Amino acid sequence: MAYPDDLLSSGEHVVIHRHPHWKVLIFPVFWLLVVVALGTYLAGLVADQSWASIALVALAVVGAVLVLWLTVAPLVRWRTTHFTLTSDRVMYREGVFKRTGLDIPLARVNSVRFEHSFVDRLLGCGTLVIESASDEPLEFDDIPSVEKVHTMLYREVNDNPGDDYHPGVVDGRA
């Protein structure tokens, strides 16, 4: 899914648009399987009881609440989290009901680095750390293909004609 063009300024284009890595969905899927298996097992235990209809309704309600809380909410959170690199800025948006956003102009980016553990390397994701004019470095966790994103961001920062740093240029002369 492409990033909405109405959020971009004129002349700005999307270089990379990512959701968090799919690894953040492992536990929600695990909990879905646990809730369904446990609910099925408990439904089988109470099926022959005289009070089975009340117990089955209670199990269905509890199961639905657990699935919404442990599986659907993280899935929606994953789907509504965006890391976007454009020709002018880095944008990070997250949230469903309380939406938060962060924009970093490329001219303000001082350095970019990435970190990933052995498991992250196997899965192809990692943490992108951007140091800008702000006080603390900003960390973006679970970025898919973090090394590629790091390279593209570094290229965009160095190719950005709006910044003040141009290697090899002294006093406006090459």
Side-chain angles (χ1 to χ4, degrees):
M1 178 180 152
Y3 202 74
D5 290 333
D6 60 343
L7 297 178
L8 304 176
S9 61
S10 64
E12 184 178 22
H13 66 276
V14 173
V15 177
I16 292 178
H17 173 230
R18 299 274 196 266
H19 292 286
H21 193 266
W22 57 263
K23 81 174 189 175
V24 300
L25 298 175
I26 291 173
F27 283 116
V29 170
F30 169 75
W31 286 117
L32 173 67
L33 297 174
V34 166
V35 168
V36 169
L38 188 61
T40 303
Y41 175 74
L42 292 175
L45 284 179
V46 300
D48 295 334
Q49 304 298 324
S50 61
W51 42 271
S53 59
I54 295 171
L56 291 175
V57 169
L59 281 173
V61 168
V62 169
V65 167
L66 287 174
V67 165
L68 284 172
W69 179 44
L70 298 172
T71 302
V72 175
L75 178 64
V76 171
R77 196 174 310 115
W78 171 83
R79 187 70 178 116
T80 59
T81 300
H82 302 271
F83 178 86
T84 308
L85 170 62
T86 72
S87 55
D88 295 340
R89 58 190 163 152
V90 175
M91 298 188 300
Y92 187 77
R93 305 282 189 267
E94 67 180 337
V96 180
F97 299 114
K98 179 187 174 197
R99 191 98 171 120
T100 58
L102 172 71
D103 290 1
I104 307 169
L106 292 182
R108 297 277 187 155
V109 174
N110 294 333
S111 69
V112 182
R113 65 184 168 95
F114 65 90
E115 302 169 352
H116 47 162
S117 65
F118 180 70
V119 174
D120 285 342
R121 289 179 64 195
L122 289 175
L123 295 175
C125 65
T127 300
L128 187 68
V129 181
I130 300 175
E131 292 183 24
S132 65
S134 67
D135 294 334
E136 295 183 21
L138 301 168
E139 294 187 8
F140 302 97
D141 296 324
D142 301 319
I143 302 293
S145 305
V146 71
E147 289 185 48
K148 179 181 176 186
V149 173
H150 169 267
T151 302
M152 294 300 293
L153 178 55
Y154 184 77
R155 284 182 188 158
E156 287 296 320
V157 166
N158 287 328
D159 292 343
N160 189 359
D163 67 4
D164 295 332
Y165 176 72
H166 298 285
V169 177
V170 179
D171 295 330
R173 295 171 294 187

